[in-house]
């Protein structure tokens, strides 16, 4: 028996309350710990998470871990780490920490000063989309919220460069961004366009006024940089220099390299981005926040949700500074002016809009779906999940929670941060201004979107910088998706046709290898849930796991193939086929969040329902289902953007679809015309049209031979000596 008496003097502060250990003696070797706890009146335990199982026994006072009474609340807690239970909870990634709460997943609002390139797409946009799709399959109340960050100074700078108004720039690039997301099969549930939303400016002004009314954000005179010649206020895109922390070349206010904010006057050898005059240092009165004073609140916030180590390390670095005074208004003609009249010519800094835009987005979504969610009264019940690049970490995870603490002190925001690093293109940073980019709109189409999504999932920079090359992408599509997945699925379809008349057989007799293979598929299902769930979200691992399903099954199929046609082993043979079909069905569900278009098409080919629910277990394709896998083309040859070959392939694919009356979305590039069912009369018609358009006479034998449509396109390009006609095809393809 263990006897422990409560002793108020032995307590220490932990999780916001007072705790004192209880010596559990021999029982401790069984993994059980215990402690006394005290909550003073009006206090509560700080939110925290751990995976121990814990029991509280209240000994005196009133309340739970919120002391609602007038005397101390004394309790004893007993906790143990039940490894089985912890692993069960971890595997059940569907609802942990989320429950029935509304979950708001945000992809960082892009600045509409350019389109979306595949560097953008690989990070927050693909991440949020796959995350939301997986959560939805698990029954979570989840929404993808997006927006455009219209009042960025970079928009005004782009407008100056392009000789049009900021509003025109916003309208143009917002439309392009929306179109690119659509091509990527990403459809957010709500999009906020800050410069075109009628309610927005007033709501933002009210948020800013709450910051000012708190007394924490005050008018302060501070040092600032001005153009030596024009006197223009220099910040963000208008100034460049060395980062005061890491020395890298950087713009004003944030360093993409080390993630730390700068204040422009502290840049090493600053210079204006246009003009040659030396900048001069002066002073200016702006509304300013002493961020350092909110250190404890921001760090406490990082205990609530998922805050990756690299984010916590950045916060630690920034708060080591003695002062971090952040100006929250800046002189500009583009943005929302505060209602306060004492900073004439200033706008509310756009990074306040980021923080406010999230809760405003929730309010707007609520209005649409009939929920009374309000930006001025955010709820502890809300679960927010952010997807962002490392260069935005300061704004999302340090500045925003500080602003929330001031504007809505009663709110405890619960936020998960999913941060990605930089994606490089051919070893160099993607750059909109230098045109060092591959634009989503140039490479995405119904034939290529699944390949792009898979390749970006596989290679996106989750824990380190990674590199995109077009050649590597094309290789992965050809070898992994076409050469491995599609080949297996086609071959499986051919065997089901030959041996079972195209109908899924029932499993018969199970061998030990069959049982082992099913167990392996179950493991893959569990692994996939771990990759896509909120605790360990990783699309790199998800893509690897998808490929693992295909590889496992190919290995199994090769092994079982030895007895496939032996009559004596017929009952075992149909079990093997039923299990291969089960693997294909598993691929449907596991791929759905990552490659939704492929998953839906594979489901249709397998004769099963579209994948709307995450499976609890691996199941067979029902016996008797008609399977149509043998001639499916799931993955088109990836077109290199804006090459003659890509343009011609796009033209030829369209022509083939038209001639054979195939649906618009049908992928034809890596199929032969014969496989697509061409008749010889149609081949002659096709030959004539190609000749007329390109001047190249492709023989009917070539058309009916074993070249794929993509290879035929290459053949035409290589044989043309009429550059004009090719240029015309290109022009039409680009214009189309
Ligand atoms: Zn730096």
């Amino acid at each position: 028996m263990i006897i422990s008496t409560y002793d108020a003097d032995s307590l220490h502060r932990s999780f916001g309350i007072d705790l004192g250990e209880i010596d559990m003696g021999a029982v401790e070797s069984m993994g059980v710990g215990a402690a006394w706890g005290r909550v003073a009146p009006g206090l509560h335990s700080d939110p925290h998470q751990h995976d121990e199982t814990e029991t509280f026994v209240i000994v005196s006072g009133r309340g739970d871990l919120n002391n609602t009474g007038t005397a101390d609340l004394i309790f004893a807690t007993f906790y143990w780490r039940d490894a089985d239970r912890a692993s069960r909870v971890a595997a059940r990634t569907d609802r942990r920490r989320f429950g029935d709460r509304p979950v708001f997943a945000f992809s960082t609002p892009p600045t509409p000063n350019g389109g979306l390139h595949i560097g953008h797409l690989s990070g927050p946009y693909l991440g949020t989309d796959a995350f939301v799709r997986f959560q939805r399959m698990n029954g979570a109340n989840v929404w993808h919220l997006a927006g455009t960050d219209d009042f960025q100074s970079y928009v005004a700078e782009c407008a100056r460069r392009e000789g049009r108004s900021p509003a025109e720039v916003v309208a143009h690039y917002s439309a392009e961004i929306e179109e690119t997301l659509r091509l990527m099969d990403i459809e957010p549930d709500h999009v906020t366009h800050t410069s075109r939303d009628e309610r927005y400016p007033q709501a933002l002004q009210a948020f800013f006024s709450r910051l000012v009314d708190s007394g924490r954000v005050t008018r302060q005179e501070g040092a600032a940089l001005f153009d030596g010649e024009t006197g223009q206020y220099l910040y963000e895109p208008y100034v460049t220099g060395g980062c005061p922390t890491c020395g890298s070349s950087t713009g004003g206010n944030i360093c993409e390299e080390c993630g730390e904010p700068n204040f422009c006057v502290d840049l090493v050898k600053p210079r204006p981005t246009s003009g040659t005059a030396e900048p001069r240092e002066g002073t200016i009165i702006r509304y300013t926040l002493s961020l350092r004073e909110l250190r404890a609140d921001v760090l406490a916030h990082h205990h609530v949700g998922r805050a990756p180590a690299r984010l916590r390390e950045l916060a630690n670095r920034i708060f080591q500074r003695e002062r971090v005074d952040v100006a929250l208004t800046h002189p500009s003609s583009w943005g929302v002016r505060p209602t306060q009249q004492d900073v004439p010519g200033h706008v509310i800094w756009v990074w306040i809009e980021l923080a406010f835009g999230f809760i405003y987005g929730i309010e707007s979504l609520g209005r649409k779906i009939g929920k009374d969610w309000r930006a001025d009264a955010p709820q502890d019940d809300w679960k927010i999940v952010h997807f962002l690049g490392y260069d935005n970490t300061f704004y999302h995870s340090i500045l925003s929670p500080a602003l929330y603490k001031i504007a809505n002190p009663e709110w405890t925001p619960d936020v998960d941060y999913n941060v990605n690093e930089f994606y490089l293109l051919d070893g160099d940073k993607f750059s909109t201004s230098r045109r060092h980019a591959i634009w989503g709109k140039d490479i995405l189409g119904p034939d290529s979107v699944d390949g792009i999504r898979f390749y970006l999932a596989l290679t996106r920079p989750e824990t380190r910088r990674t590199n995109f090359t077009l050649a590597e992408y094309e290789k992965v599509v050809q070898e992994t998706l076409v050469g491995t997945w599609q080949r297996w699925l086609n071959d499986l379809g051919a065997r089901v046709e030959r041996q079972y008349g195209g109908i899924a057989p029932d499993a018969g007799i199970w061998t030990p290898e069959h049982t082992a293979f099913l167990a392996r598929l179950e493991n893959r299902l569990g692994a996939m849930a771990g990759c896509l769930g909120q605790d360990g979200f990783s699309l790199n691992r998800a893509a690897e796991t998808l490929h693992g399903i295909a590889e496992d099954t190919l290995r199994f199929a090769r092994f079982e193939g030895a007895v496939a046609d032996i009559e004596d082993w017929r009952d075992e043979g149909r079990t093997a086929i039923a299990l291969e079909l089960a693997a294909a069905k598993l691929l449907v569900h596991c791929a759905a969040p990552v490659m939704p278009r492929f998953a839906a098409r594979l489901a249709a080919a397998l004769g099963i329902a579209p994948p709307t629910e995450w499976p609890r277990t691996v199941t067979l394709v029902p016996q008797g289902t008609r399977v149509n896998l043998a001639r499916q083309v799931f993955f088109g040859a990836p077109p290199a953007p804006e090459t003659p070959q890509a343009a011609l392939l796009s033209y030829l694919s369209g022509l083939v679809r038209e001639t054979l009356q195939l649906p618009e979305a049908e992928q034809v590039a890596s199929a032969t015309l014969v496989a697509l069912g061409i008749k010889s009369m149609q081949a002659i018609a096709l030959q004539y049209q190609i000749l007329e358009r390109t001047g190249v006479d492709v023989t009917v034998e070539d058309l009916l031979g074993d070249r794929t449509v993509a290879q035929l396109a290459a053949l035409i390009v290589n044989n043309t000596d009429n550059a004009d006609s090719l240029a015309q095809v290109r022009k039409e393809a680009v214009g189309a």
Side-chain angles (χ1 to χ4, degrees), residues 24-94:
M24 291 294 279
V27 183
E28 207 156 308
S29 65
M30 292 159 64
V32 180
W36 287 108
R38 176 179 66 187
V39 188
L43 290 186
H44 58 86
S45 162
D46 287 344
H48 61 282
Q49 31 173 323
H50 48 73
D51 70 353
E52 282 96 357
T53 307
E54 193 167 10
T55 296
F56 299 92
V57 180
I58 293 181
V59 182
S60 82
R62 293 191 72 80
D64 39 33
L65 292 189
N66 256 323
N67 188 346
T68 54
T70 52
D72 279 358
L73 180 97
I74 314 277
F75 64 88
T77 166
F78 303 89
Y79 51 89
W80 58 95
R81 190 168 191 287
D82 177 343
D84 277 354
R85 184 182 169 279
S87 70
R88 277 199 312 278
V89 171
R92 214 193 56 217
T93 53
D94 49 352

Side-chain angles (χ1 to χ4, degrees), residues 179-190:
E179 172 63 7
T180 303
L181 290 178
R182 197 187 59 77
L183 287 169
M184 186 74 174
D185 289 340
I186 296 175
E187 284 168 23
D189 298 292
H190 182 75

Side-chain angles (χ1 to χ4, degrees), residues 454 479-480 484-485 542-552 587:
F454 177 79
E479 290 181 2
T480 302
T484 307
W485 297 23
E544 282 165 14
T545 305
L546 286 176
H547 186 51
I549 293 172
E551 281 191 317
D552 285 349
L587 190 59

Side-chain angles (χ1 to χ4, degrees), residues 300-544:
H301 168 70
H302 294 163
H303 285 279
V304 181
R306 181 181 168 199
R310 194 144 143 72
L311 175 162
R312 287 180 269 133
E313 187 271 334
L314 175 67
N316 178 64
R317 231 188 302 143
I318 290 171
F319 285 128
Q320 273 174 11
R321 302 190 197 176
E322 267 170 37
R323 299 200 67 82
V324 188
D325 294 346
V326 186
L328 300 187
T329 60
H330 295 279
S332 172
S333 57
W334 178 240
V336 177
R337 301 215 179 278
T339 50
Q340 288 70 13
Q341 304 290 321
D342 45 11
V343 279
H346 284 217
V347 297
I348 298 171
W349 195 29
V350 74
W351 294 104
I352 298 181
E353 292 192 44
L354 181 87
F356 176 70
F358 296 134
I359 50 180
Y360 181 78
I362 293 174
E363 176 178 306
S364 306
L365 170 71
R367 196 174 300 120
K368 219 155 74 178
I369 62 173
K371 303 272 186 192
D372 186 24
W373 292 326
R374 283 171 40 205
D376 60 4
Q379 300 296 311
D380 287 355
D381 187 37
W382 295 357
K383 179 69 208 186
I384 292 176
V385 182
H386 282 311
F387 289 82
L388 60 142
Y390 181 69
D391 52 330
N392 275 329
T393 308
F394 169 70
Y395 298 123
H396 275 76
S397 69
I398 296 171
L399 182 62
S400 294
L403 297 175
Y404 295 145
K405 189 72 202 172
I406 302 171
N408 308 96
E410 69 294 345
W411 181 37
T412 305
D414 178 357
V415 185
D416 281 10
Y417 298 95
N418 292 274
V419 182
N420 63 269
E421 304 290 325
F422 273 109
Y423 205 31
L424 306 176
L425 171 61
D426 299 326
D428 199 1
K429 270 188 196 169
F430 277 84
S431 162
T432 302
S433 53
R434 284 185 293 120
R435 299 279 151 204
H436 182 67
I438 293 178
W439 302 101
K441 67 184 163 78
D442 290 337
I443 198 165
L444 286 167
D447 285 359
S448 63
V449 61
D450 287 311
I452 287 282
R453 287 181 63 118
F454 177 79
Y455 186 72
L456 296 187
L458 186 69
T459 61
R460 70 200 286 270
E462 291 180 350
T463 57
R464 62 193 168 83
R465 292 186 174 188
T466 54
N467 189 37
F468 178 96
T469 71
L470 205 52
E472 196 53 37
Y473 152 68
E474 287 173 351
K475 187 166 164 242
V476 166
V477 171
Q478 282 311 319
E479 290 181 2
T480 302
L481 298 181
V482 177
T484 307
W485 297 23
Q486 184 164 295
R487 211 157 149 185
W488 156 51
L489 293 167
N490 288 165
D491 178 59
L492 171 60
R495 283 179 284 136
V496 172
E497 278 183 16
R498 184 163 51 83
Q499 296 169 322
Y500 303 96
I503 306 292
D506 194 13
I509 296 171
W510 290 64
T511 68
E513 289 92 345
H514 294 158
T515 309
F517 177 60
L518 181 63
R520 183 138 187 95
L521 294 180
E522 290 285 1
N523 285 342
R524 292 289 187 192
L525 174 61
M528 199 67 190
C531 302
L532 294 173
Q534 58 272 36
D535 291 352
F537 186 82
S538 163
L539 290 181
N540 291 166
R541 294 218 180 100
E544 282 165 14

Side-chain angles (χ1 to χ4, degrees), residues 94-354:
D94 49 352
R95 292 293 180 84
R96 205 177 95 86
R97 299 192 287 115
F98 286 13
D100 292 324
R101 302 162 64 185
V103 180
F104 306 104
F106 288 93
S107 48
T108 300
T111 301
N113 65 339
L116 292 179
H117 54 62
I118 57 168
H120 293 129
L121 290 170
S122 75
Y125 308 98
L126 179 61
T128 314
D129 184 65
F131 177 87
V132 167
R133 287 175 187 275
F134 174 74
Q135 291 294 335
R136 203 160 271 164
M137 287 175 81
N138 283 285
N141 302 314
V142 63
W143 294 273
H144 179 175
L145 292 97
T148 49
D149 206 2
D150 296 353
F151 290 121
Q152 283 281 354
S153 54
Y154 296 87
V155 168
E157 169 57 12
C158 174
R160 188 195 60 77
R161 228 177 29 235
E162 296 187 1
R164 40 182 177 169
S165 73
E168 285 168 334
V169 167
V170 165
H172 177 83
Y173 288 114
S174 295
E176 192 174 316
I177 287 166
E178 212 156 304
E179 172 63 7
T180 303
L181 290 178
R182 197 187 59 77
L183 287 169
M184 186 74 174
D185 289 340
I186 296 175
E187 284 168 23
D189 298 292
H190 182 75
V191 183
T192 303
H193 296 292
T194 51
S195 70
R196 290 185 281 168
D197 184 315
E198 281 180 12
R199 297 167 192 263
Y200 178 79
Q202 254 192 325
L204 174 66
Q205 286 165 337
F207 182 77
F208 185 76
S209 291
R210 279 202 299 284
L211 298 177
V212 173
D213 294 345
S214 74
R216 295 268 206 170
V217 173
T218 53
R219 282 172 82 244
Q220 284 177 32
E221 187 168 21
L225 273 187
F226 300 88
D227 189 288
E229 213 163 67
T230 64
Q232 189 200 359
Y233 175 75
L234 298 178
Y235 78 131
E236 295 188 334
Y238 305 109
V239 64
T240 174
C243 168
T245 304
C246 73
S248 306
S249 169
T250 179
N253 301 75
I254 196 82
C255 173
E256 290 186 346
E257 211 51 44
C258 67
E260 291 202 29
N262 65 64
F263 305 102
C264 304
V265 280
D266 52 354
L267 289 171
V268 181
K269 293 195 184 140
R271 55 190 187 282
T273 41
S274 65
T276 50
E278 279 286 309
R280 80 178 158 76
E281 202 177 314
T283 60
I284 187 170
I285 294 177
R286 297 166 294 200
Y287 275 97
T288 302
L289 165 68
S290 297
L291 184 61
R292 182 68 175 69
E293 290 171 11
L294 287 135
R295 175 181 180 274
D297 297 300
V298 172
L299 296 188
H301 168 70
H302 294 163
H303 285 279
V304 181
R306 181 181 168 199
R310 194 144 143 72
L311 175 162
R312 287 180 269 133
E313 187 271 334
L314 175 67
N316 178 64
R317 231 188 302 143
I318 290 171
F319 285 128
Q320 273 174 11
R321 302 190 197 176
E322 267 170 37
R323 299 200 67 82
V324 188
D325 294 346
V326 186
L328 300 187
T329 60
H330 295 279
S332 172
S333 57
W334 178 240
V336 177
R337 301 215 179 278
T339 50
Q340 288 70 13
Q341 304 290 321
D342 45 11
V343 279
H346 284 217
V347 297
I348 298 171
W349 195 29
V350 74
W351 294 104
I352 298 181
E353 292 192 44
L354 181 87

